[in-house]
Amino acid sequence: MSYKCSRCKRDVHLDEYGGVRCPYCGHRVLLKERSRDVKEVGVQ
C-alpha cells in the first residue's frame, strides 16, 4: 500500500518497510494516497 510522508513528501510503501515511520526522514505521520478516479453520483 502506498503512502506519502507528510514531512518530506516522499512515497513510502509499508509492505516493504514494515514500520509506521518514514524510512527517509523518520517522521511518523503518513498520508494515504487517494485514487485519481472521478466518481459520478446519480441525481434523483
Side-chain angles (χ1 to χ4, degrees), residues 6 12 16 21-22 33 43-44:
S6 66
V12 176
E16 296 172 7
R21 288 183 181 254
C22 175
E33 290 288 299
V43 178
Q44 294 181 3

Side-chain angles (χ1 to χ4, degrees), residues 1-2 4-5 8 10 12-16 18 23-24 26-27 29 31-34 37-38 40-43:
M1 185 160 288
S2 181
K4 186 168 285 216
C5 176
C8 70
R10 294 182 71 172
V12 176
H13 299 283
L14 292 185
D15 56 348
E16 296 172 7
Y24 307 106
H27 197 60
V29 178
L31 306 172
K32 186 174 182 180
E33 290 288 299
R34 292 180 176 237
D37 296 337
V38 176
E40 293 185 25
V41 178
V43 178

